[in-house]
Amino acid sequence: MHVLNHPLIDDEMTRLRDPDCPPPEFRRRVRRIASLMVPAVTADVPVAPVPCVTPLEEATGSRLEREFLLAPVLRAGLGFLDGFLDLIPQASVAHIGLARNEETLLPEPYYLKHPPVLENFTIILLDPMLATGGSAIEAVARLRKAGGRFFRFACLVAAPEGVAAFETACPDVPVFAAALDRCLNDRGYILPGLGDAGDRLFGTSP
Ligand code: PRP
Ligand code: URA
């Protein structure tokens, strides 16, 4: 579990939590935080040495060994996607539709679209909220079933309960969070959190 303590991220997160932050500003800030997270989330991906030629001499450079697959969990993961694509424009994208049942708090799958072969991608699962962990665990399970092998998970806000559940279910998947919050409330919302990320991104708050 990596909590990305950084002044720029912390400042953005504080503004994002404010209930008066309207959807256009919320989207902009989520996108900016996502971009700020990219260097940490990708810091240890494998590279291979390659020969390169400069205008002055021959040298040794490095190339990424694997392609990236960004995997946003719908809907809220879409808000996170553009900030990652801004810095990794060559990435492929897999969409995973999961809706958390507000009674049971269990994820209900409704959509999945990914490239036909997943074995050789570094897969970055994207979802702003890690609450009970059910959605992230289900998303990894579905992509594993389809052949995915190399995962990491980026979120904005994590609850300790979700981190524990995710680490138990997916011990090989590192988690990167912009903030680790206190706990869940009795409706499965993160405290202090930022409310319903999907609703705040897309202007569907009740
Ligand atoms: C939210 C959030 C996560 C999930 C987290 O999505 O974006 O996907 O809940 O909760 P969990 O860790 O307890 O599973 P939601 O299902 O509300 O859908 P939405 O993004 O369409 O609003
Ligand atoms: N989903 C959200 O969008 N927010 C929470 O606090 C928990 C789950």
Side-chain angles (χ1 to χ4, degrees), residues 110-121:
Y110 60 87
Y111 187 74
L112 182 63
K113 184 73 180 180
H114 53 75
V117 179
L118 299 185
E119 275 76 4
N120 295 321
F121 283 105

Side-chain angles (χ1 to χ4, degrees), residues 45-181:
V45 298
V47 291
V50 288
C52 75
V53 182
T54 80
L56 300 178
E57 62 177 14
E58 292 184 0
T60 303
S62 74
R63 279 272 166 77
L64 293 165
E65 277 192 358
R66 289 196 286 265
E67 300 297 323
F68 284 102
L69 178 67
L70 302 175
V73 177
L74 308 181
R75 291 173 300 162
L78 291 176
F80 230 24
L81 176 65
D82 286 343
F84 274 78
L85 278 176
D86 286 342
L87 295 201
I88 320 176
Q90 74 276 23
S92 300
V93 178
H95 292 88
I96 308 167
L98 296 173
R100 191 171 77 151
N101 181 309
E102 293 303 327
E103 303 290 319
T104 64
L105 299 185
L106 296 174
E108 295 178 351
Y110 60 87
Y111 187 74
L112 182 63
K113 184 73 180 180
H114 53 75
V117 179
L118 299 185
E119 275 76 4
N120 295 321
F121 283 105
T122 292
I123 300 176
I124 307 180
L125 183 69
L126 302 174
D127 192 333
M129 309 308 278
L130 173 57
T132 66
S135 301
I137 293 168
E138 178 70 21
V140 171
R142 288 168 75 79
L143 291 175
R144 264 199 225 283
K145 201 171 164 204
R149 291 193 296 167
F150 308 110
F151 291 90
R152 48 200 63 210
F153 175 35
C155 61
L156 274 184
V157 186
E161 297 91 328
V163 174
F166 187 80
E167 286 182 343
T168 300
C170 308
D172 59 316
V173 181
V175 179
F176 298 84
L180 177 61
D181 277 11

